[in-house]
Amino acid sequence: MSDFERLSDLVALARRVAADEIMPRFQQVASSRKHDGSLFTEADMASQAALQRELPKIVNCPVLGEEMSVAEQKALWADHEDGLWIVDPIDGTTNFVHGLPHFSVSIALFRKGRPVLGVVYVPALDECFSAAAGYGAWMNGRTLPLRQEVPKSLCEAVAAVEPKYLGGRLPARVVSVAPFSSLRNYGSSTIDWCWLAAGRTDLMLHGSQKLWDYAAGVLILLESGGQIASIHHDNYWQDHIWQRSVVAARCPSLFKPWLEWVKNNR
């Protein structure tokens, strides 16, 4: 069975885990803080446990999840180049805890350091984004991008930006002299990738994403026709695996001037 043929099983699993483990706990579960100060809940742990149990039945590979120790994560990454599941059991936990609908479950299959399958399911909106390397990207079966109209220039574009992790001059510049029309921040990196792929936003900028933040989303964007770099590397994949920055656009006509602006203002 090809990776593409497995995609439907992966979509079904993401929907099932959200229905069984995440949504019954939405707005009804207490939260705690991890050592890095980020929130996690019983729902995060239940979702990850379900994914660890079920994903090897689709492709028999280990599962690397956000709610593991750093040592476990790095060991899995180093030892399983031939096949590794990367999951974020709930991306946007802060939104989840506060009753905001912008959270998702994210699943990706990696081989040789690149994603070959990706699924991001946003249960509160019942939107499932998926992609298979070389085959394309979809949302609930509809080919991405959903919105075909492209801004004529950067000054008409909508950007998803997370200023918190941008270094140098960028945090100040992006809110004072940015070249785009409007800025958005939804609190979920996985959703940012997918909404860019769908054409709901036009640009993206983030200073430091973890592996599970971009694992599925980057494939979904690339398969929809988007383009990517990092803040310090034209080749996105040369950036740090565990703290990878991203400069992205939904189409080539916006990507080149956007990347140039970021380089000139960092």
Side-chain angles (χ1 to χ4, degrees):
M1 182 181 292
S2 69
D3 288 333
F4 176 70
E5 292 172 310
R6 295 182 174 100
L7 191 58
S8 61
D9 291 335
L10 198 58
V11 167
L13 175 60
R15 288 179 174 275
R16 188 165 67 250
V17 168
D20 293 347
E21 308 297 348
I22 298 175
M23 294 310 289
R25 295 177 167 95
F26 184 39
Q27 302 187 84
Q28 300 185 50
V29 67
S31 63
S32 303
R33 292 197 178 272
K34 295 184 281 190
H35 67 279
D36 64 359
S38 61
L39 290 172
F40 76 103
T41 71
E42 176 187 286
D44 293 84
M45 303 305 295
S47 174
Q48 181 164 294
L51 293 170
Q52 286 180 278
R53 182 176 64 250
E54 298 298 326
L55 283 171
K57 298 177 184 178
I58 298 175
V59 176
N60 189 19
C61 298
V63 179
L64 185 160
E66 180 183 8
E67 307 307 333
M68 292 178 171
S69 70
V70 173
E72 288 177 293
Q73 292 164 350
K74 291 189 174 181
L76 284 167
W77 179 261
D79 295 341
H80 296 282
E81 188 182 47
D82 55 335
L84 184 64
W85 291 108
I86 310 292
V87 305
D88 194 336
I90 301 180
D91 180 52
T93 300
T94 298
N95 288 343
F96 179 80
V97 168
H98 289 83
L100 299 170
H102 299 100
F103 57 88
S104 75
V105 53
S106 176
I107 307 168
L109 178 63
F110 266 57
R111 293 197 180 101
K112 301 186 183 303
R114 299 289 190 276
V116 296
L117 286 176
V119 167
V120 174
Y121 180 48
V122 188
L125 304 178
D126 191 29
E127 294 186 343
C128 193
F129 298 85
S130 60
Y135 288 92
W138 306 269
M139 190 279 282
N140 292 356
R142 297 171 60 192
T143 300
L144 297 178
L146 303 176
R147 182 171 171 267
Q148 299 293 330
E149 183 182 356
V150 176
K152 294 182 177 65
S153 64
L154 284 182
C155 66
E156 298 178 359
V158 174
V161 179
E162 171 52 86
K164 182 178 179 181
Y165 302 103
L166 299 174
R169 299 188 302 158
L170 274 172
R173 302 287 286 179
V174 82
V175 297
S176 61
V177 294
F180 47 75
S181 171
S182 186
L183 182 152
R184 297 290 184 270
N185 185 338
Y186 297 104
S188 170
S189 293
T190 56
I191 293 177
D192 286 344
W193 283 105
C194 294
W195 285 7
L196 183 60
R200 292 172 177 171
T201 58
D202 306 301
L203 312 170
M204 182 178 174
L205 179 63
H206 198 296
S208 180
Q209 291 186 339
K210 302 291 181 65
L211 174 58
W212 42 88
D213 291 326
Y214 63 80
V218 67
L219 178 63
I220 293 167
L221 177 64
L222 290 174
E223 288 294 323
S224 75
Q227 293 192 313
I228 57 172
S230 79
I231 292 175
H232 298 286
H233 300 278
D234 287 348
N235 182 344
Y236 172 80
W237 301 105
Q238 289 182 351
D239 210 348
H240 195 286
I241 292 168
W242 304 99
Q243 295 175 312
R244 188 164 266 161
S245 63
V246 59
V247 184
R250 56 181 289 221
C251 60
S253 63
L254 294 175
F255 177 72
K256 185 177 179 180
W258 176 226
L259 179 60
E260 183 178 357
W261 185 90
V262 171
K263 285 182 176 180
N264 290 337
N265 287 272
R266 65 189 183 194

